[in-house]
């Protein structure tokens, strides 16, 4: 894995220098080359000397015997390096793999309770794609799932990287470059997974059609994204959202709660392990919502609490059993 990481870094550095672009852009270009099996050249860039060097590195990368999990980890570490070099803003940083693991575990129990193995999945704030890829990989290791993937992002650099990342991982992603709060270009979605960006949404005109909009001033983007995503799911659809732990204690929480009562079932609110965050203020939680439908019902008891550290096998096994019991009682097949 270290060898793969090092050689991929070499390729990215060569591309960055030749294309005179950001490290993140160059990484997306390198991954696209690897997925397509050839060096992409446009208007003489990269130059022939760089192309020759890249071909050697790409051939060496193909020869490295590496598992899918190791391949993903090597690429993820490269993405983290690129974000440090490019000084990426906080809302666009990679979601830790452990969050993908935890959310996939919850999703697996829900899908098992629903007897669902074939479904359409979207990440409306896909970013670099790390959360979606980890989530899908973990699900596929746990069961025989056929998953159609879609991702939305208004940042073309992140979206390009996500598309290239999924291709290298042999996943087929339908990528949409748009504002996820604007009208979506597609329908027929059964489940959503998203690590939501936190902050104010600047376009008040777009926000005006949402029930979760603020009465005055800018609305919280993460509130609007939750509403928009749930509106676009099929009936009985599941939304799994990574949100600030204090989401129900802010000045705009009342509007969010009012919308939830009328439009969705709040099935779970679980604080993520504290060791994943630098401070209590940065703490996040998993909120699970279900869209109304003939096979949907409000859980008799909303699953609440703090998810134990994944490094504590005994506590985490107890959590898994708790989730399984909750899912069987809450979600119909």
């Amino acid at each position: 894995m270290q060898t793969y990481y090092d050689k991929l870094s070499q390729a990215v550095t060569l591309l960055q220098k030749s294309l005179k672009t950001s490290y993140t852009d160059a990484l997306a270009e390198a991954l696209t080359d690897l997925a397509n099996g050839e060096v992409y050249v446009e208007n003489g860039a990269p130059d022939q000397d760089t192309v020759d060097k890249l071909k050697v590195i790409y051939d060496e990368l193909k020869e490295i015997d590496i598992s899918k999990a190791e391949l993903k980890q090597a690429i993820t570490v490269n993405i983290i390096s690129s974000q440090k070099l490019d000084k990426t803003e906080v809302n666009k940083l990679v979601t830790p793999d452990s969050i993908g693991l935890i959310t996939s575990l919850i999703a697996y129990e829900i899908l098992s309770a629903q007897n669902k193995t074939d479904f359409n999945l979207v990440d409306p704030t896909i970013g670099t794609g790390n959360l979606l890829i980890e989530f899908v990989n973990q699900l596929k290791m746990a069961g025989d799932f056929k998953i159609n993937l879609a991702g939305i992002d208004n940042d073309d650099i992140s979206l390009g990287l996500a598309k290239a990342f999924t291709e290298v991982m042999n996943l087929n992603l339908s990528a949409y470059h748009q504002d996820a709060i604007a009208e979506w270009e597609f329908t027929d979605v059964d489940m959503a997974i998203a690590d939501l960006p936190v902050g104010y949404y600047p376009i008040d005109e777009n926000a005006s059609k949402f029930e979760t909009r603020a009465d005055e001033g800018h609305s919280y983007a993460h509130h609007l994204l939750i509403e928009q995503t749930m509106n676009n799911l099929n009936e009985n659809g599941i939304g799994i959202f990574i949100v600030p732990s204090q989401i129900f204690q802010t000045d705009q929480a009342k509007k969010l709660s009012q919308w939830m009562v009328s439009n969705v079932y709040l099935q779970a609110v679980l604080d993520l392990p504290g060791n994943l965050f630098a401070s209590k203020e940065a703490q996040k939680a998993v909120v699970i919502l279900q869209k109304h439908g003939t096979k949907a019902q409000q859980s008799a008891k909303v699953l609440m609490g703090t998810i134990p550290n994944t490094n504590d096998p005994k506590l985490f096994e107890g959590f898994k059993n708790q989730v399984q019991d909750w899912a069987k009682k809450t979600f119909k097949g």
Side-chain angles (χ1 to χ4, degrees):
M1 191 182 77
Q2 182 66 48
T3 305
Y4 195 99
Y5 168 81
D6 290 339
K7 290 195 177 297
L8 180 56
S9 296
Q10 286 173 28
V12 175
T13 302
L14 281 169
L15 275 166
Q16 184 186 19
K17 187 177 178 181
S18 182
L19 300 176
K20 297 179 175 58
T21 186
S22 70
Y23 193 94
T24 304
D25 261 340
L27 177 57
E29 187 83 11
L31 293 176
T32 302
D33 286 350
L34 285 166
N36 294 336
E38 61 181 359
V39 180
Y40 178 70
V41 179
E42 184 177 20
N43 299 326
D47 59 83
Q48 191 56 49
D49 181 51
T50 302
V51 170
D52 292 340
K53 289 176 181 174
L54 287 170
K55 282 180 178 177
V56 172
I57 294 171
Y58 291 161
D59 286 342
E60 290 172 342
L61 283 168
K62 285 176 194 170
E63 294 301 314
I64 296 173
D65 185 16
I66 192 170
S67 71
K68 186 172 272 194
E70 289 170 331
L71 173 62
K72 183 189 167 295
Q73 197 168 352
I75 295 170
T76 300
V77 177
N78 258 291
I79 293 172
I80 292 167
S81 298
S82 76
Q83 292 186 332
K84 285 179 181 175
L85 286 167
D86 293 341
K87 296 181 172 58
T88 302
E89 62 182 88
V90 173
N91 267 331
K92 294 179 181 177
L93 294 177
V94 165
T95 302
D97 283 351
S98 51
I99 294 179
L101 169 67
I102 290 165
T103 50
S104 68
L105 180 153
I106 297 168
Y108 175 80
E109 297 300 346
I110 293 171
L111 292 162
S112 297
Q114 293 178 323
N115 296 314
K116 186 178 287 233
T117 55
D118 187 345
F119 65 99
N120 299 333
L121 174 68
V122 67
D123 185 337
T125 57
I126 190 170
T128 63
N130 195 62
L131 172 61
L132 183 67
I133 293 168
E134 182 68 16
F135 181 83
V136 169
N137 282 352
Q138 291 290 343
L139 275 179
K140 288 192 169 187
M141 281 194 282
D144 187 17
F145 292 101
K146 182 185 175 187
I147 311 171
N148 300 307
L149 304 181
I152 302 172
D153 211 285
N154 62 356
D155 183 321
D156 60 333
I157 294 174
S158 293
L159 190 65
L161 182 53
K163 180 67 174 169
F165 194 177
T166 53
E167 285 174 355
V168 172
M169 298 302 299
N170 288 321
L171 298 172
N172 186 24
L173 173 74
S174 297
Y176 297 88
H177 181 216
Q178 67 159 96
D179 176 357
I181 291 170
E183 187 174 344
W184 288 13
E185 298 174 24
F186 60 98
T187 55
D188 191 17
V189 184
D190 304 302
M191 180 177 281
I193 174 75
D195 184 357
L196 297 175
V198 177
Y200 292 106
Y201 181 67
I203 310 171
D204 294 335
E205 186 180 349
N206 285 357
S208 65
K209 63 183 178 182
F210 291 92
E211 292 180 38
T212 54
R213 69 185 182 277
D215 290 327
E216 295 179 5
H218 292 325
S219 306
Y220 281 146
H222 46 299
H223 290 191
L224 301 177
L225 284 163
I226 289 171
E227 183 178 349
Q228 173 75 316
T229 302
M230 295 308 297
N231 285 346
N232 279 281
L233 293 186
N234 296 331
E235 68 167 35
N236 313 306
I238 304 292
I240 303 174
F241 301 104
I242 313 303
V243 299
S245 287
Q246 304 300 313
I247 191 168
F248 296 115
Q249 296 164 30
T250 66
D251 56 333
Q252 294 186 28
K254 187 178 179 182
K255 295 292 289 286
L256 179 65
S257 298
Q258 287 173 340
W259 168 79
M260 282 185 180
V261 168
S262 304
N263 295 277
V264 297
Y265 297 125
L266 175 62
Q267 306 289 32
V269 182
L270 296 162
D271 279 329
L272 285 159
N275 66 300
L276 296 180
F277 305 97
S279 65
K280 195 172 181 182
E281 291 72 32
Q283 178 86 31
K284 291 191 174 186
V286 181
V287 169
I288 298 175
L289 305 177
Q290 185 172 24
K291 191 167 182 174
H292 291 170
T294 54
K295 293 184 177 180
Q297 62 181 2
Q298 177 60 58
S299 175
K301 190 174 182 181
V302 176
L303 185 63
M304 300 185 80
T306 299
I307 299 167
N309 191 322
T310 54
N311 295 326
D312 189 324
K314 190 174 179 181
L315 280 178
F316 200 72
E317 190 63 33
F319 167 70
K320 284 169 66 177
N321 294 337
Q322 190 182 1
V323 170
Q324 187 176 69
D325 184 58
W326 159 81
K328 284 178 179 176
K329 290 175 181 175
T330 305
F331 301 98
K332 299 178 182 178

